[in-house]
Amino acid sequence: MDYHAANQPYQPGPGGDGHTIYMAQEDDWDRDLLLDPAWEKQQRKTFTAWCNSHLRKAGTQIENIDEDFRDGLKLMLLLEVISGERLPKPERGKMRVHKINNVNKALDFIASKGVKLVSIGAEEIVDGNAKMTLGMIWTIILRFAIQDISVEETSAKEGLLLWCQRKTAPYKNVNVQNFHISWKDGLAFNALIHRHRPELIEYEKLRKDDPVTNLNNAFEVAEKYLDIPKMLDAEDIVSTARPDEKAIMTYVSSFYHAFSGAQKAETAANRICKVLAVNQENEHLMEDYEKLASDLLEWIRRTIPWLENRVPEKTMQEMQQKLEDFRDYRRIHKPPKVQEKCQLEINFNTLQTKLRLSNRPAFMPSEGKMISDINNGWQHLEQAEKGYEEWQLNEIRRLERLYHLAKKFGQKASIHESWTDGKEALLNQKDYETATLSDIKALIRKHEAFESDLAAHQDRVEQIAAIAQELNELDYYDSPAVNARCQKICDQWDVLGSLTHTRREALEQTEKQLETIDQLHLEYAKRAAPFNNWMGGAMEDLQDMFIVHTIEEIEGLMAAHEQFKFTLPDADKEREAILGIQNEAQKIADYNNIKLAGGNPYTSVTPQIINSKWEKVQQLVPKRDNALKVEQNKQQSNEHLRLQFANQANIVGPWIQTKMEEIGRIAIEMHGTLEDQLNHLKQYERSIINYKPNIDKLEQEHQLIQEALIFDNKHTNYTMEHIRMGLEHLLTTVARTINEVENQILTRDAKGISQEQMHEFRASFNHFDKDHTGALGPEEFKACLISLGYDVENDRQGDAEFHRIMAIVDPNNTGYVTFQGFIDFMSRETTDTDTADQVIASFKVLAGDKNYITAAELRRELPPDQAEYCIARMAPYQGSDAAPGALDYMSFSTALYGESDL
């Protein structure tokens, strides 16, 4: 490059060829000087002081920056002092050519340091061009005082500004945003000194409204105690609207170099802060897990006894209320707990991943709060829940059956009691002792009819006893009353049997004394009694309660009823024949002028009774028709509800199964990046949530079915329980899979794993995951390790190595290796992490190479919360060199990584 172009004005320009154009890093040098002469004054003073701070090391100085560098001698000397290198021997002549040659040697040395100077030539410096001389000195300052400043991957001006911001951040009324007006009040200079040498500055006594005092205080302290010459004038800075940025930067850079040793301590503090922040976050996650697990286990503990309560209720209404409470539990109380359980597993997996990534030991929850403990409790809950629902349905069926049986028992018992009313008194009569022979024969025939009637009622008594027995077996709540009534009926029946037998013997004994009997009345009685019993049975059947659950059952009843109606014409003919016998007897009596005393002596069944019962049968038939029709309509409605539920369930069930299979394929296949897979899974999760209205609709239809007391459905294999469990399993699987992919992204980013490496890991894992379960068994994992070059063959050394690796990838001894554990292991094998030794070394820097550290040093170098965190957990230092209040940072650091107990 041409560094000697004469009589060319200085022009800032872009850099090239790998060099740095320092003159171009600031905006319009010439324009700034021309616009504000005060800046040129500040620069002259600052640059002169800066040069003298280095030249005095060689025993010289300059007075006028324009004149004293013209012969190039002090310029070359300045460069030797600040670079520590030797320049070519200067020429001692007084001629202009000697001066130009000396200046050119200085400019050549600057260029050799990677600096590209534009439009600055030796002639301008020799001629005393103030503007070019100041530009050259600024270039030297940038290269040798500012270029090497580096703070958190920023350098030069940005690095210096960031350093100032970091150091002054804790101080009130200090907000460093630039190198001009941010420094006018002088507080920033005092803050820099106080941060590193707090004993030199009483910062709390400084006032923002007294900038001149603040500036002079900082300048004097820096010159007296820090060996930083006074390069600025307080009055000039305060009186200038915008102090010169280059002058401020030059002066501030002197502070940076004076305090450069503290930078190492800051770096060490940053490392410790990073480690402590990770530890604090992990502890918060552990506490959150413990609380959430405790709450969930407590809810399970309180809920299981409620679900295991099998105390039956007495009525259908009470059991239906229990069923409604159970529905509320399934719809309202349980779903949030399902989400809490899923979130607990997600938090646990995320915490374990973060612990592995930060090289911390795996988190072991408190006893009884492991994921397996929660899963066991949840399984117990669901078993109790399933048994509870089955018990409720069985109880409702039992109570329904009891209600029907109790009503049937009462009806039959009432009919029987009505029939037996007065029968004992009738059998105890002694009318045969004074009766005529015909009366006696009539009494015998009447008694035979009674015995026939009694035999016919035997079946009813047996039915009553059977119903009472079934009520007892079904644990009917009012069984004592039923048993008492049944026993009374049975006892009375035994008495009637005994009395019947006694009366028959009396009548048969008397019959020997009788000669004749009215055969016609006898025939009437014999035919009227069974017909009367048939009508009584028909009336009872027509009024009989019935319960059905299907259309087929009601159609069977309707067919039987139609068959009964088909027999009515024949029954009517029998009725007319019986009535004809009675009419014939009356005709014979009338024809022969016989006066019949009273009614038929052989039976109490009069034609009026027969006609009355026949009319009753005729009335009951259409009522029975109507009751069967109503029940048929009900069963048709129930069938419609079954079909409605089945149609929806046959859509939702396969949809859930299909989604489960699709999610399984996403978890195993390797299509796109992890972010693509995560987005794909979240789309699936949203689609599942959006599908929820179909499940709610199915719940409504299922509720209608339960309210209708429908207990089976031949149109579908899916029950509401299957749908609920499938949806819960689907949502849990999606959330679990999303969490696994997020952990893989977290591992990839933390360990610097490329997308191609992730694909290679997944391909290797899938190759040995033969059953596509998403996990490798021990033998599958061993084969995978062998394919990757690990020596884990079946010998003593190989087995020991394999058990060591299994302890890493399966710390909870589950017996299988997940893909997350696999990539954690592979990333650990190929990347570095913070170690306890590194943290100990960082603490040693903060402690000034001592084997202990004090609370004051921790509070000075670390943020307040993390300083207090260390102080609370560090044990007192026990070494012989311990000072008062000394803390043991070595055992604290090893405890962070699980290498010893804190």
Side-chain angles (χ1 to χ4, degrees):
M1 295 299 296
D2 180 10
Y3 303 101
H4 316 298
N7 301 318
Q8 294 294 325
Y10 166 74
Q11 297 292 336
D17 301 327
H19 293 75
T20 303
I21 305 178
Y22 288 91
M23 296 302 291
Q25 291 185 358
E26 307 300 322
D27 297 329
D28 301 327
W29 176 281
D30 299 86
R31 183 169 58 84
D32 289 344
L33 290 174
L34 292 173
L35 289 176
D36 193 350
W39 286 9
E40 182 178 347
K41 177 183 177 183
Q42 292 177 13
Q43 289 172 11
R44 282 179 178 275
K45 182 173 183 179
T46 301
F47 291 178
T48 299
W50 183 85
C51 291
N52 285 335
S53 70
H54 294 286
L55 287 172
R56 68 185 179 185
K57 298 174 184 177
T60 186
Q61 62 179 13
I62 61 172
E63 297 295 331
N64 189 325
I65 199 168
D66 301 342
E67 296 295 326
D68 294 350
F69 286 134
R70 291 179 63 183
D71 60 2
L73 295 176
K74 289 187 177 181
L75 179 59
M76 294 178 70
L77 182 60
L78 174 64
L79 291 172
E80 287 184 344
V81 171
I82 63 178
S83 69
E85 300 179 20
R86 297 291 296 177
L87 271 68
K89 185 177 180 180
E91 297 179 10
R92 294 296 180 178
K94 301 294 185 179
M95 298 178 65
R96 176 179 174 81
V97 66
H98 298 142
K99 296 178 181 180
I100 290 175
N101 288 340
N102 287 338
V103 172
N104 274 331
K105 290 177 181 179
L107 294 178
D108 288 340
F109 178 80
I110 295 173
S112 70
K113 297 303 179 182
V115 180
K116 183 177 181 181
L117 299 173
V118 178
S119 300
I120 296 180
E123 288 79 3
E124 286 87 354
I125 305 303
V126 172
D127 292 337
N129 187 319
K131 181 167 52 177
M132 292 302 173
T133 301
L134 290 174
M136 177 190 67
I137 297 302
W138 174 240
T139 300
I140 293 171
I141 293 171
L142 281 175
R143 171 59 185 85
F144 294 98
I146 298 177
Q147 176 187 347
D148 293 332
I149 295 174
S150 177
V151 179
E152 292 188 0
E153 299 182 358
T154 61
S155 59
K157 177 181 178 181
E158 291 78 13
L160 184 60
L161 182 62
L162 179 58
W163 178 79
C164 295
Q165 291 171 341
R166 292 286 301 276
K167 294 300 181 181
T168 61
Y171 291 87
K172 182 180 177 182
N173 294 327
V174 177
N175 183 19
V176 177
Q177 298 297 327
N178 50 57
F179 287 105
H180 37 82
I181 60 175
S182 294
W183 303 82
K184 284 190 65 174
D185 58 10
L187 292 177
F189 290 109
N190 285 277
L192 279 178
I193 298 172
H194 185 268
R195 179 62 185 270
H196 296 90
R197 296 288 299 279
E199 74 277 7
L200 301 180
I201 298 289
E202 294 181 341
Y203 185 84
E204 63 277 3
K205 293 184 179 181
L206 301 177
R207 293 186 301 124
K208 185 176 180 65
D209 59 357
D210 191 4
V212 174
T213 300
N214 297 340
L215 289 166
N216 285 329
N217 181 65
F219 297 161
E220 290 167 4
V221 169
E223 186 173 35
K224 182 176 180 181
Y225 297 101
L226 303 179
D227 199 27
I228 299 175
K230 185 176 181 181
M231 301 181 186
L232 301 172
D233 185 84
E235 287 73 17
D236 290 345
I237 293 176
V238 173
S239 62
T240 304
R242 186 175 184 270
D244 179 65
E245 187 176 56
K246 300 170 184 62
I248 299 293
M249 284 180 65
T250 301
Y251 188 52
V252 171
S253 69
S254 298
F255 284 89
Y256 175 87
H257 291 293
F259 298 134
S260 61
Q263 189 67 27
K264 294 180 181 178
E266 181 179 357
T267 301
N270 288 338
R271 177 181 291 276
I272 293 173
C273 289
K274 176 183 175 184
V275 172
L276 295 178
V278 170
N279 216 60
Q280 289 174 305
E281 181 183 4
N282 290 341
E283 288 187 0
H284 288 315
L285 289 174
M286 294 175 190
E287 293 171 359
D288 292 343
Y289 173 90
E290 292 282 337
K291 183 179 184 306
L292 189 57
S294 297
D295 294 345
L296 183 58
L297 287 170
E298 175 62 18
W299 178 83
I300 292 173
R301 185 192 65 77
R302 286 186 285 103
T303 304
I304 287 177
W306 176 68
L307 294 173
E308 291 178 341
N309 179 17
R310 298 293 188 273
V311 178
E313 301 295 342
K314 294 181 179 180
T315 66
M316 283 276 291
Q317 290 77 10
E318 291 172 331
M319 279 307 301
Q320 286 172 342
Q321 181 58 48
K322 270 198 170 184
L323 184 61
E324 187 62 29
D325 293 341
F326 183 70
R327 290 197 193 108
D328 289 342
Y329 159 79
R330 296 297 297 271
R331 292 194 307 262
I332 300 172
H333 303 297
K334 184 182 178 185
K337 298 302 177 183
V338 173
Q339 293 182 1
E340 287 181 16
K341 177 177 176 292
C342 179
Q343 188 62 45
L344 190 67
E345 294 178 358
I346 291 173
N347 291 352
F348 182 83
N349 292 335
T350 301
L351 174 59
Q352 296 293 38
T353 299
K354 288 187 175 182
L355 289 172
R356 286 193 296 271
L357 293 177
S358 58
N359 202 24
R360 303 302 199 275
F363 168 56
M364 292 299 293
S366 301
E367 183 177 358
K369 297 180 183 177
M370 296 288 292
I371 292 295
S372 58
D373 297 320
I374 294 170
N375 287 335
N376 290 336
W378 192 264
Q379 185 178 7
H380 187 188
L381 175 77
E382 292 188 330
Q383 288 174 348
E385 178 182 316
K386 181 178 180 182
Y388 189 69
E389 185 174 32
E390 291 175 351
W391 172 78
Q392 282 187 322
L393 295 176
N394 289 333
E395 272 300 297
I396 290 175
R397 293 190 188 101
R398 184 182 69 84
L399 289 174
E400 183 185 30
R401 177 68 177 162
L402 285 174
Y403 176 79
H404 169 70
L405 288 174
K407 194 143 188 176
K408 191 171 185 178
F409 174 84
Q411 185 182 50
K412 288 186 177 295
S414 297
I415 293 173
H416 177 78
E417 290 165 347
S418 176
W419 179 83
T420 59
D421 184 39
K423 292 296 188 292
E424 287 187 36
L426 181 64
L427 293 171
N428 284 320
Q429 288 183 92
K430 305 296 184 182
D431 52 343
Y432 54 85
E433 295 178 351
T434 58
T436 63
L437 182 60
S438 60
D439 291 336
I440 291 299
K441 287 190 174 288
L443 287 175
I444 291 174
R445 299 298 177 262
K446 186 176 181 180
H447 189 72
E448 290 176 350
F450 174 77
E451 286 181 324
S452 177
D453 200 7
L454 188 69
H457 279 78
Q458 177 68 32
D459 182 62
R460 180 181 290 117
V461 174
E462 292 175 356
Q463 289 180 6
I464 290 172
I467 293 172
Q469 178 65 27
E470 190 170 358
L471 286 170
N472 278 278
E473 291 173 355
L474 292 176
D475 197 23
Y476 182 54
Y477 79 96
D478 202 16
S479 292
V482 170
N483 293 336
R485 191 175 184 183
C486 180
Q487 188 63 46
K488 183 180 178 182
I489 289 172
C490 292
D491 292 343
Q492 187 185 36
W493 187 254
D494 292 337
V495 171
L496 288 176
S498 177
L499 291 174
T500 300
H501 179 70
T502 302
R503 183 172 177 80
R504 183 172 183 81
E505 288 180 344
L507 289 174
E508 287 177 349
Q509 185 177 1
T510 306
E511 186 183 19
K512 297 176 182 179
Q513 305 168 9
L514 300 178
E515 295 181 351
T516 191
I517 191 167
D518 190 343
Q519 291 296 326
L520 196 58
H521 277 184
L522 181 59
E523 183 181 359
Y524 171 86
K526 286 184 177 181
R527 293 183 69 175
F531 185 72
N532 182 57
N533 288 334
W534 175 86
M535 286 192 298
M539 290 168 59
E540 183 179 346
D541 290 341
L542 290 171
Q543 296 178 83
D544 193 14
M545 299 286 293
F546 59 85
I547 179 169
V548 295
H549 296 97
T550 65
I551 288 181
E552 291 76 6
E553 292 178 359
I554 189 61
E555 288 177 348
L557 290 177
M558 294 179 76
H561 184 61
E562 291 299 320
Q563 186 176 1
F564 167 77
K565 290 195 294 183
F566 182 76
T567 64
L568 288 179
D570 292 336
D572 192 33
K573 290 179 182 180
E574 176 67 11
R575 181 184 66 85
E576 291 176 352
I578 293 171
L579 294 178
I581 294 173
Q582 180 67 25
N583 293 334
E584 184 65 22
Q586 188 63 46
K587 286 179 182 180
I588 294 173
D590 291 341
Y591 182 78
N592 295 293
N593 295 319
I594 298 173
K595 301 295 183 181
L596 297 176
N600 193 318
Y602 303 114
T603 182
S604 60
V605 180
T606 65
Q608 291 76 15
I609 292 175
I610 291 176
N611 286 329
S612 175
K613 286 190 174 182
W614 180 256
E615 290 177 2
K616 184 66 174 177
V617 169
Q618 294 294 96
Q619 293 171 0
L620 289 175
V621 168
K623 290 183 179 179
R624 186 71 168 184
D625 286 333
N626 184 60
L628 291 172
K629 184 62 178 176
V630 169
E631 184 63 27
Q632 185 185 37
N633 292 338
K634 176 184 174 183
Q635 291 304 321
Q636 288 175 344
S637 173
N638 289 353
E639 186 68 9
H640 173 71
L641 291 176
R642 289 188 183 96
L643 288 170
Q644 184 172 286
F645 176 83
N647 291 337
Q648 184 70 8
N650 289 336
I651 294 173
V652 173
W655 181 87
I656 291 175
Q657 189 166 355
T658 300
K659 291 299 178 183
M660 284 295 297
E661 293 171 355
E662 292 175 353
I663 291 169
R665 288 196 296 271
I666 293 174
I668 294 175
E669 296 171 355
M670 301 179 293
H671 297 315
T673 65
L674 291 176
E675 285 76 7
D676 294 337
Q677 295 178 30
L678 182 61
N679 291 333
H680 201 183
L681 285 169
K682 288 185 177 179
Q683 289 174 4
Y684 267 94
E685 185 177 41
R686 287 193 293 272
S687 72
I688 293 169
I689 294 172
N690 294 336
Y691 198 75
K692 186 68 166 53
N694 296 308
I695 309 297
D696 296 337
K697 180 181 177 183
L698 197 61
E699 285 280 8
Q700 295 171 1
E701 294 171 356
H702 181 253
Q703 183 172 349
L704 293 176
I705 283 179
Q706 288 195 325
E707 290 172 353
L709 298 178
I710 300 172
F711 302 109
D712 54 5
N713 193 338
K714 65 182 180 181
H715 303 293
T716 181
N717 293 326
Y718 294 100
T719 66
M720 197 62 232
E721 178 63 21
H722 293 151
I723 298 296
R724 291 191 196 105
M725 292 182 66
L727 182 64
E728 291 172 4
H729 184 51
L730 178 61
L731 288 171
T732 302
T733 301
V734 170
R736 230 182 248 133
T737 308
I738 289 175
N739 179 245
E740 288 175 359
V741 175
E742 288 175 340
N743 285 340
Q744 292 172 24
I745 293 174
L746 185 62
T747 302
R748 181 198 65 191
D749 295 342
K751 299 298 185 177
I753 302 173
S754 68
Q755 189 63 39
E756 291 74 15
Q757 287 177 305
M758 291 297 292
H759 276 295
E760 288 179 7
F761 292 161
R762 173 55 81 178
S764 297
F765 189 87
N766 287 349
H767 176 74
F768 291 96
D769 184 12
K770 303 299 184 182
D771 51 2
H772 304 294
T773 60
L776 299 180
E779 293 304 319
E780 292 175 329
F781 183 55
K782 178 179 284 189
C784 182
L785 290 176
I786 292 172
S787 72
L788 294 172
Y790 286 85
D791 184 11
V792 291
E793 295 292 347
N794 292 325
D795 54 34
R796 179 176 298 177
Q797 183 176 357
D799 288 342
E801 176 64 10
F802 179 69
H803 288 307
R804 181 191 71 80
I805 295 175
M806 280 298 292
I808 295 173
V809 299
D810 184 20
N812 295 324
N813 293 322
T814 60
Y816 58 86
V817 180
T818 63
F819 180 64
Q820 182 64 41
F822 177 70
I823 62 173
D824 286 344
F825 171 71
M826 295 305 297
S827 62
R828 179 180 296 186
E829 293 291 299
T830 57
T831 58
D832 294 329
T833 57
D834 290 327
T835 65
D837 290 339
Q838 290 176 322
V839 176
I840 290 173
S842 299
F843 271 118
K844 194 160 189 176
V845 171
L846 297 187
D849 286 337
K850 300 190 299 292
N851 291 328
Y852 61 86
I853 194 167
T854 65
E857 289 170 334
L858 288 171
R859 291 190 177 102
R860 185 181 71 229
E861 300 298 342
L862 299 180
D865 61 332
Q866 295 182 342
E868 298 304 324
Y869 179 83
C870 292
I871 294 168
R873 286 162 174 76
M874 283 186 181
Y877 179 69
Q878 303 297 332
S880 58
D881 55 340
L887 299 174
D888 187 354
Y889 61 79
M890 293 186 182
S891 60
F892 173 76
S893 300
T894 55
L896 287 177
Y897 290 87
E899 297 178 16
S900 66
D901 293 331
L902 185 59

